[in-house]
Amino acid sequence: MSTQLRPTDVKRLNRHWRRRTQGRIALIAESVTQPFNLGSILRTCATFGVETVWLAGNTADPSHPQVGKTALGTEHKLHLEKAADAAQAIAAAHDAGFRVAAVELARGAVPLHEAPLEGDIC
């Protein structure tokens, strides 16, 4: 059984995280085709102060009504960039000064809480 965070818990986490880091954070959303999923991702990004979100591949259009229904207007607080594919988004993130890390379930992967995520990270 999972525990859902209340909005005040999310705000507290965000404040705690922002006090502990000096780095910028960005995200590449690659092929997130379901509008509700993209809306949830964008809402989370806004909560944690993500600077830029690159929308790569066939990611849903952020102007889709279902994105807005889930994001609750937070999509307007983010800088969104379109990218043809993940490679173009990674190049843009590098050009903007971000170190790119991937989140993937794979053999040999490092757990996210153990990953070196210092500095400006995407």
Side-chain angles (χ1 to χ4, degrees):
M1 183 165 143
S2 67
T3 313
Q4 187 172 11
L5 294 174
R6 297 178 315 228
T8 53
D9 296 328
V10 173
K11 288 178 187 176
R12 189 175 305 114
L13 277 172
N14 182 28
R15 279 193 311 271
H16 179 72
W17 179 79
R18 292 309 294 167
R19 285 184 195 133
R20 292 180 44 205
T21 186
Q22 300 300 314
R24 299 177 303 146
I25 189 167
L27 180 83
I28 297 171
E30 200 265 328
S31 297
V32 179
T33 58
Q34 297 299 312
F36 286 126
N37 291 345
L38 181 61
S40 292
I41 290 167
L42 297 179
R43 187 171 175 189
T44 302
C45 286
T47 299
F48 283 99
V50 169
E51 180 179 297
T52 302
V53 178
W54 283 276
L55 306 169
N58 62 341
T59 294
D61 188 324
S63 66
H64 191 288
Q66 291 176 339
V67 171
K69 184 174 183 174
T70 309
L72 298 174
T74 59
E75 71 277 20
H76 302 295
K77 298 175 187 259
L78 298 165
H79 179 73
L80 304 176
E81 294 275 339
K82 293 275 189 171
D85 55 30
Q88 186 183 58
I90 290 167
H94 282 151
D95 290 345
F98 289 97
R99 185 169 54 89
V100 177
V103 176
E104 183 67 47
L105 294 175
R107 179 175 292 171
V110 175
L112 185 59
H113 67 278
E114 293 177 12
L117 300 176
E118 297 83 22
D120 298 338
I121 192 80
C122 178

